Amino acid sequence: MTETVAVTGALGKVGRAVVRDLLAHGYTVRATDAQGPFGERAGLGVDVMRAELTDYGQAVEALGGCSAVVHLGNIPQPGMESAPDTLNRNLAANNNVFLAAQRLGLRKVAWASSETTLGLPFDVPPLYAPVDEAHFPHPTSTYALSKVLSEDVAAQVSQWSGIPFVGLRLSNVFVPEMYANVPGYWADPAARRWNLWGYIDARDAATAFRLALEVETTGSQNVIIAAADTLMDRPSADLLAAQFPGVEIRRDLKEFETLLAIDGARDLLGFVPQHSWRDEVPGV
């Protein structure tokens, strides 16, 4: 029997990739978003239903009839709404989805946390590099705080319900058409130091969410999801020396190795990024 998975925030960069990936792997998808286009006009291969997740009843409806959820339906970054609204709306949406999952007895919750929980933007240098899951929590915005607090809520709801939760601390999401802009970052490394020059391809993010559904996990666990490399044409160790002198480097770094450590995602989910901007930009 085909498993039905709810995908909230289905019309975002990651949501679209998740829907495509799940359909390609034989899942049935129940897609929702707060903003259109809705129905078949969304162009996802499945109809998209409107759901305002800050309303608990709509969250229950969005997850009804599903055995698992990929929850992406949040304000996706700081500065899009006022600081209080970002905190309040993200928390309300996450609380409602998590509690709806408990009420409906879902078998798994995979949801979008954020790299911002680790201290972004790094106006204050990181404590060490590569930054890993232990470099938490250091929220510097209400957006980041909404994710930190939601990780706490996920842990409690998981304990109450027995449902495994996996929070993916996503790096800056890129789709292939964005990679043409990457060479423009190289002249000023300081412009991208805010997240240690990290990124994640939307297709790899989608794979990570599917793995979070498929791999057996327990409790509530949160892992960093980033590409295997940085966006820059300079070695990672040189970037750190120039932009964050004095920061402890805890292991030998490969030439362009990510400074957002993905060892935790590999160990928990078997996640290995397959996509790099280096494969998409001609002449690099």
Side-chain angles (χ1 to χ4, degrees), residues 99-130:
L99 293 171
Q102 178 187 18
R103 177 172 180 169
L104 296 168
L106 269 58
R107 69 163 189 87
K108 196 70 169 284
V109 175
W111 67 284
S113 187
S114 169
E115 64 181 359
T116 61
T117 62
L118 306 172
L120 281 66
F122 287 110
D123 297 329
V124 175
L127 302 175
Y128 56 85

Side-chain angles (χ1 to χ4, degrees), residues 150-170:
S150 294
E151 289 191 16
D152 288 341
V153 174
Q156 296 304 319
V157 176
S158 176
Q159 184 175 358
W160 299 341
S161 65
I163 299 170
F165 280 63
V166 179
L168 302 187
R169 294 172 179 161
L170 296 175

Side-chain angles (χ1 to χ4, degrees), residues 4-61:
T4 300
V5 176
V7 178
T8 72
L11 294 176
K13 283 187 292 186
V14 178
R16 289 179 175 276
V18 166
V19 171
R20 286 193 296 267
D21 182 84
L22 290 175
L23 292 174
H25 286 84
Y27 292 88
T28 298
V29 174
R30 183 184 180 95
T32 62
D33 207 302
Q35 300 182 19
F38 299 115
E40 64 181 12
R41 291 178 298 169
L44 290 184
V46 294
D47 288 353
V48 176
M49 180 182 75
R50 185 183 184 281
E52 177 48 71
L53 300 176
T54 58
D55 180 280
Y56 174 69
Q58 293 188 47
V60 172
E61 182 71 17

Side-chain angles (χ1 to χ4, degrees), residues 183-209:
Y185 305 147
W186 299 342
D188 183 15
R192 295 285 310 189
R193 60 174 262 161
W194 56 272
N195 78 335
L196 301 181
W197 308 278
Y199 73 106
I200 181 65
D201 188 286
R203 294 165 293 183
D204 281 332
T207 297
F209 277 107

